Amino acid sequence: MIEVEFINISKTFKNQNKVVHVLKGISAKVPKGSIVTIIGPSGSGKSTILSLCNLLRTPDEGEILIRGKEVREWDIQELRRNVGIAFQSGPMIHGTALDNLTLPARLQGKELEDPKKYMDFVGLQEELLTREAKELSGGQRQRLSLARTLVNEPVVLLLDEVTSALDSISTHEVEKLILRINREQGTTILWVTHDLSQAERVGNYTWLVMDGTLIEEAPTNLFFSNPREEKTKNFLDLKREYV
Ligand SMILES: Nc1ncnc2c1ncn2[C@@H]1O[C@H](COP(=O)(O)OP(=O)(O)O)[C@@H](O)[C@H]1O
Ligand SMILES: [Mg+2]
């Protein structure tokens, strides 16, 4: 079953009267329950692809189907409950960890029944709930941010460089957590990362985006062991030189 489908997506931005084509006809399918890792140079359009999936932005052309239904036909609240997003910085509101965790529920005029359950799930101690969010470590904040996203039990999870501000131990912990979410809840994941070894470790499929174009998409092991496209080979070689 296909959970997310991009059909010939284009997106332009206008920068001081200059029109920039950020996505130039992206088509791809994401099978339900899979993890797609998305790599590419910075500025190539990766974050823009994610932002179209929950209507933080809208495409100029083309369609994005989530569970067969075009994003603009979804009720936006329902879409955003179903399609969760988490960012590098794990942005927090002022207040405690609990204030942050209960935010999605409060936005919907509801109460979060069992905050502890979500803390447990992401490996955070219950005692941290009363702590000011800004006092948490980077790794704790990123886990709290994921917990907050998970409260809605999204069927699709969009991850934008979620570990790039973390040290290697926290990165590993957060990776394990995300893999568990994928395994236990069957969550479909689009995971943008600039860390090639992470893309290779966690992905079922990998996409290379360059200059708004999907250069290559393949099962992750094939993508890294036997890329088809010259541009993919060059990109992988270049990145590996600098590791
Ligand atoms: N709101 C915006 N207005 C104008 N240009 C933007 C906007 N958002 C992104 N861009 C441009 O779109 C391009 C792709 O950005 P982005 O999707 O963030 O790339 P990536 O995540 O791959 O680094 C970049 O050139 C960026 O400057
Ligand atoms: Mg980005």
Side-chain angles (χ1 to χ4, degrees):
M1 207 176 109
I2 299 301
E3 188 95 299
V4 183
E5 182 169 4
F6 298 89
I7 307 170
N8 205 13
I9 289 296
S10 293
K11 178 74 188 169
T12 54
F13 287 116
K14 286 182 196 70
N15 264 344
Q16 290 135 11
N17 301 326
K18 219 178 90 205
V19 177
V20 188
H21 290 264
V22 173
L23 299 177
K24 304 170 180 169
I26 302 264
S27 295
K29 293 176 183 174
V30 182
K32 182 174 165 50
S34 62
I35 299 179
V36 175
T37 48
I38 304 175
I39 60 173
S42 95
S44 58
K46 304 179 299 295
S47 296
T48 305
I49 291 176
L50 296 189
S51 70
L52 299 173
C53 296
N54 69 349
L55 285 181
L56 290 175
R57 295 180 178 131
T58 47
D60 297 322
E61 281 170 48
E63 295 189 331
I64 298 171
L65 310 184
I66 308 276
R67 308 197 132 183
K69 185 161 140 186
E70 217 282 325
V71 281
R72 283 157 290 188
E73 285 170 16
W74 281 76
D75 170 72
I76 187 133
Q77 304 293 344
E78 199 188 345
L79 178 71
R80 290 187 179 162
R81 278 198 297 277
N82 278 278
V83 182
I85 192 162
F87 302 96
Q88 167 183 340
S89 53
M92 293 286 135
I93 58 163
H94 285 294
T96 61
L98 182 66
D99 293 334
N100 274 277
L101 191 58
T102 54
L103 183 67
R106 282 187 285 127
L107 287 175
Q108 294 163 42
K110 293 187 209 153
E111 224 170 285
L112 183 64
E113 275 180 16
D114 193 359
K116 186 179 170 298
K117 179 176 96 180
Y118 296 96
M119 295 294 274
D120 271 354
F121 189 77
V122 298
L124 290 176
Q125 289 165 330
E126 196 185 344
E127 292 80 64
L128 292 178
L129 280 171
T130 53
R131 190 83 61 84
E132 289 296 310
K134 61 174 186 289
E135 288 169 10
L136 301 177
S137 72
Q140 288 172 331
R141 222 173 19 241
Q142 194 51 271
R143 276 187 267 182
L144 181 62
S145 159
L146 281 166
R148 188 176 56 186
T149 302
L150 294 176
V151 164
N152 285 323
E153 298 183 0
V155 294
V156 176
L157 189 54
L158 311 170
L159 303 174
D160 200 349
E161 310 266 13
V162 284
T163 61
S164 55
L166 303 181
D167 61 39
S168 59
I169 293 174
S170 302
T171 294
H172 187 67
E173 293 294 317
V174 169
E175 270 180 23
K176 271 203 308 200
L177 168 62
I178 294 165
L179 291 175
R180 186 151 67 91
I181 294 164
N182 167 257
R183 199 173 56 240
E184 290 180 4
Q185 306 185 359
T187 312
T188 304
I189 299 179
L190 275 72
W191 189 337
V192 169
T193 177
H194 67 246
D195 176 347
L196 290 195
S197 56
Q198 179 173 69
E200 188 169 6
R201 253 191 326 270
V202 303
N204 304 121
Y205 301 91
T206 298
W207 300 356
L208 172 62
V209 180
M210 289 176 107
D211 194 21
T213 306
L214 186 53
I215 302 294
E216 179 156 358
E217 47 160 331
T220 298
N221 55 351
L222 278 180
F223 183 97
F224 284 95
S225 63
N226 195 13
R228 285 188 313 267
E229 302 293 330
E230 219 41 50
K231 282 181 176 167
T232 311
K233 288 175 199 161
N234 292 339
F235 181 75
L236 295 180
D237 286 346
L238 187 71
K239 288 280 271 191
R240 280 171 182 147
E241 266 175 44
Y242 285 96
V243 170

